[in-house]
Amino acid sequence: METSTKIKLFAVVAVIAGPFLTFTGHKDKERLAALEKDGITVDGVIEGGEWKKGRRSSSYKFDVSYTPQNAAPVQQTFTVDSGFFSAHASDTAVTDPAVKVRYLPTDIQDSAIVVGGSTDMTAMFGMGIGAFAIGLCTSIGMFFFKK
């Protein structure tokens, strides 16, 4: 594939993916702001989980049980960051099962986070704006500066 074709493909992908990333980051910002304002925090217990370590990336998930106020107990899987994982588990077992879960009473399952450990997607907002801007500038540059 020619270099100019690769650049054009990159520009198109960036222009399309940028708004999607921005939207995802914005929705996460709104959710976290609502949790900060109206969220309820309860105790939770890590029941188990799964951690995969690869050469390039690692993923950490915990199965957490918690009981929302005036509701039935819930078990939910949360993706957590590596620091939180290290504080609560080793490679073979959970070492500290106590966690705090924060949720919105109007949307318990979809809004819940593990306090201090859930992954934060708000950075996607800035990445999306950047990807869109770079893709757009690249597209315009290629249009005006054709050989």
Side-chain angles (χ1 to χ4, degrees):
M1 191 182 296
E2 282 184 37
T3 302
S4 65
T5 305
K6 288 179 183 178
I7 293 172
K8 288 176 187 174
L9 182 61
F10 165 78
V12 169
V13 169
V15 167
I16 293 170
F20 173 75
L21 292 171
T22 302
F23 176 77
T24 303
H26 176 70
K27 294 304 278 181
D28 203 43
K29 276 185 181 183
E30 285 181 339
R31 182 179 66 91
L32 292 175
L35 278 168
E36 187 67 32
K37 181 182 176 198
D38 301 322
I40 296 172
T41 303
V42 295
D43 293 327
V45 176
I46 299 171
E47 301 287 342
E50 144 181 324
W51 33 93
K52 295 179 184 174
K53 292 185 180 180
R55 281 189 285 172
R56 295 182 186 206
S57 66
S58 300
S59 67
Y60 308 98
K61 295 181 181 183
F62 282 141
D63 299 322
V64 177
S65 295
Y66 61 98
T67 304
Q69 291 179 353
N70 306 319
V74 175
Q75 182 167 4
Q76 191 170 349
T77 301
F78 294 95
T79 301
V80 297
D81 60 39
S82 62
F84 189 83
F85 169 80
S86 298
H88 291 274
S90 68
D91 286 339
T92 58
V94 174
T95 56
D96 180 11
V99 295
K100 298 282 186 192
V101 177
R102 191 165 181 88
Y103 65 90
L104 292 172
T106 56
D107 191 13
I108 295 170
Q109 291 254 347
D110 290 334
S111 69
I113 62 167
V114 173
V115 176
S118 290
T119 53
D120 184 355
M121 303 300 280
T122 58
M124 289 178 109
F125 183 80
M127 289 174 27
I129 290 172
F132 180 76
I134 289 169
L136 189 61
C137 290
T138 302
S139 299
I140 291 169
M142 294 210 53
F143 178 75
F144 284 112
F145 301 109
K146 295 190 242 186
K147 288 184 179 180

